[in-house]
Amino acid sequence: MPPLSILIKPSSSDCNLRCRYCFYHSISENRNIKSYGFMNKDVLEEIVKKSLQYADEFCTFAFQGGEPTLVGLDFYKQLIEFQQKYNTKNLKINNTLQTNGIAIDDEWAQFLVKNKFLVGISLDGNKDIHDLSRIDIKNNGSFYSVMKTIKLFNKYKVEYNILCVVTSYLARHINKVYNFFKKNNFGYLQFIPCLDPLDEEPGRYDYSLKLNRYAYFLKNLFDLWYKDFINDDILDIRYFGNLIQMAMGYPAESCGMMGQCVCYYVFEADGGVYPCDFYVTDEWFLGNIKSHGFEELRNSTVAKKFVEVSTHVNKECVDCQYFALCRGGCRRNRESLEGKELQLNYYCSAFKEFFAYTEERIYGLAYRLSRNYRRIN
């Protein structure tokens, strides 16, 4: 069996924030069941047991939401107990947690570092930009709460990275955002394009990431990053790191850059399984871990259809000079509102503008890193 990575939503769509652009809120609103509540220990035990029986080499348990800390710290203590109980093959186990940071205190931070969790914390730049979208149930911004948690992480040496959602407004102020992250010594950054609801025409909301703004964002972010990179003052930006890796001839690490989907295992709180975090919908329900094994889920008709749909590549993509770096982009941005085969990526023109601006430097860095690698080895 292969190594295994799974994503678990222990608090379903429940959250202690009301982020204006939350894609999972829009997904849950269009399901027959909006929230599956909190995952109980029996479901958690079944997931851990079957995962560790199925996997080889390593197994990664990633927790997202909603807000995954709402289920409580005892849930994660139970997770560690189950992992110790069922890891009879002595696999390497990785645990990750994506959180808004609101509920983290000293006890949480001590637990996370003791059990070697890698934590992603959501932060959209400085206070003015972050608080535009990431608000609580009383419409108050969450910036100071997030920064308080980051101070705790630094105090206890919790390993963490930053996840930043790119809206049109943030894209316009990328210089300010980048300098804020750099000033605070955030070494690893993930910039995620804001997603509009799955069944709606993109670009209709004030926070929606417009094409011209995304092109502006990518080009200016690359300039800032490239200048620092060549001066050995490096911020690790996941997207750019993947591009360099692909230019060196290696496969992308990020699934949205692979050119087609794989059947990922996403667990809702009731044990229901879905093929992708962006598609936790009734249409793409694979089965329930309580009654199905991984092999059965992977070979299900729905799972095969999910992967098959993603293999369609628009002819304009195949003929594009940047296809080797773009691969058509994430399927989520290629959906047709008419339910037909996948179309051109919504951000196609932005990517073309970006690659025309940066391609030479991307391959230049790839060549430089390849030479350094050969020298070391």
Side-chain angles (χ1 to χ4, degrees):
M1 292 299 124
L4 180 66
S5 295
I6 64 173
L7 190 152
I8 302 170
K9 293 180 173 291
S11 306
S12 191
S13 61
D14 296 347
C15 192
N16 48 7
L17 290 184
R18 297 294 183 269
C19 301
R20 298 175 65 228
Y21 50 57
C22 179
F23 82 88
Y24 204 66
H25 172 76
S26 68
I27 285 177
S28 64
E29 286 287 336
N30 287 285
R31 297 189 308 215
N32 288 330
I33 299 176
K34 177 181 177 181
S35 172
Y36 293 93
F38 291 164
M39 181 176 287
N40 63 47
K41 68 175 185 179
D42 293 333
V43 173
L44 175 63
E45 183 172 15
E46 194 71 8
I47 292 173
V48 173
K49 180 173 68 173
K50 287 186 175 178
S51 296
L52 294 177
Q53 288 173 346
Y54 180 75
D56 275 332
E57 297 183 43
F58 70 83
C59 187
T60 297
F61 297 85
F63 294 87
Q64 291 190 12
E67 172 48 42
T69 60
L70 291 182
V71 76
L73 185 54
D74 286 344
F75 175 89
Y76 294 94
K77 292 178 180 178
Q78 188 77 74
L79 165 76
I80 300 301
E81 291 179 15
F82 288 148
Q83 289 175 343
Q84 292 171 346
K85 177 180 178 180
Y86 292 110
N87 190 17
T88 58
K89 294 190 286 186
N90 293 315
L91 305 178
K92 175 177 172 54
I93 294 177
N94 305 306
N95 290 309
T96 73
L97 178 75
Q98 180 62 46
T99 178
N100 59 34
I102 304 304
I104 301 290
D105 58 15
D106 288 78
E107 186 180 6
W108 265 103
Q110 290 171 334
F111 170 84
L112 293 169
V113 71
K114 177 183 177 182
N115 293 284
K116 299 180 180 179
F117 274 70
L118 171 62
V119 182
I121 189 160
S122 298
L123 179 64
D124 290 353
N126 62 356
K127 182 180 186 302
D128 292 345
I129 296 174
H130 177 95
D131 284 349
L132 273 178
S133 298
R134 301 192 63 83
I135 53 178
D136 64 18
I137 58 176
K138 295 181 179 179
N139 210 38
N140 297 318
S142 59
F143 176 80
Y144 288 125
S145 295
V146 177
M147 294 303 293
K148 181 180 178 181
T149 293
I150 288 174
K151 287 181 180 178
L152 276 179
F153 286 173
N154 290 335
K155 174 183 176 182
Y156 290 107
K157 295 181 169 50
V158 177
E159 187 178 0
Y160 69 94
N161 56 50
I162 301 296
L163 187 147
C164 177
V165 177
V166 184
T167 61
S168 266
Y169 185 79
L170 185 145
R172 180 181 174 187
H173 297 281
I174 183 52
N175 290 50
K176 185 185 295 185
V177 171
Y178 182 90
N179 289 329
F180 170 79
F181 287 152
K182 185 177 177 181
K183 177 182 176 183
N184 283 277
N185 297 313
F186 298 142
Y188 187 85
L189 308 173
Q190 297 186 64
F191 290 96
I192 309 297
C194 176
L195 290 174
D196 287 332
L198 187 59
D199 57 350
E200 296 183 18
E201 190 72 38
R204 62 182 296 184
Y205 298 99
D206 58 353
Y207 57 76
S208 298
L209 183 55
K210 309 299 191 295
L211 291 171
N212 61 332
R213 288 283 176 85
Y214 194 34
Y216 175 89
F217 166 83
L218 289 172
K219 292 193 298 182
N220 281 273
L221 177 62
F222 188 89
D223 281 344
L224 293 164
W225 173 81
Y226 182 81
K227 179 181 178 181
D228 284 341
F229 191 100
I230 61 175
N231 290 313
D232 293 322
D233 186 12
I234 300 171
L235 268 71
D236 194 345
I237 296 178
R238 187 185 187 191
Y239 178 59
F240 295 156
N242 269 263
L243 289 177
I244 302 301
Q245 188 170 306
M246 293 165 70
M248 293 171 69
Y250 298 104
E253 158 271 331
S254 176
C255 68
M257 301 174 71
M258 293 178 180
Q260 70 176 64
C261 298
V262 295
C263 185
Y264 198 55
Y265 301 103
V266 180
F267 294 86
E268 253 291 359
D270 67 335
V273 188
Y274 304 81
C276 173
D277 192 27
F278 295 152
Y279 293 91
V280 186
T281 63
D282 296 331
E283 177 186 3
W284 296 111
F285 175 72
L286 304 181
N288 194 294
I289 193 63
K290 292 180 288 187
S291 54
H292 296 77
F294 280 97
E295 200 68 28
E296 187 179 3
L297 292 165
R298 184 172 67 87
N299 290 313
S300 68
T301 301
V302 177
K304 290 179 179 178
K305 180 183 177 183
F306 183 79
V307 174
E308 181 184 351
V309 169
S310 74
T311 60
H312 172 77
V313 181
N314 191 286
K315 187 178 185 302
E316 187 173 335
C317 283
V318 176
D319 295 338
C320 178
Q321 69 184 91
Y322 308 119
F323 184 68
L325 292 175
C326 177
R327 306 288 177 86
C330 177
R331 166 194 175 150
R332 181 61 173 75
N333 292 316
R334 294 190 284 146
E335 290 289 348
S336 167
L337 292 178
E338 292 77 30
K340 300 178 182 178
E341 63 186 17
L342 298 182
Q343 58 190 7
L344 268 180
N345 193 301
Y346 173 70
Y347 293 112
C348 177
S349 62
F351 285 126
K352 284 183 176 179
E353 186 175 338
F354 166 68
F355 287 125
Y357 185 71
T358 61
E359 181 185 34
E360 184 176 342
R361 284 179 286 174
I362 289 171
Y363 281 103
L365 286 178
Y367 177 71
R368 171 178 165 179
L369 291 173
S370 295
R371 289 190 62 191
N372 289 340
Y373 177 79
R374 286 196 293 270
R375 262 200 301 270
I376 292 171
N377 289 275

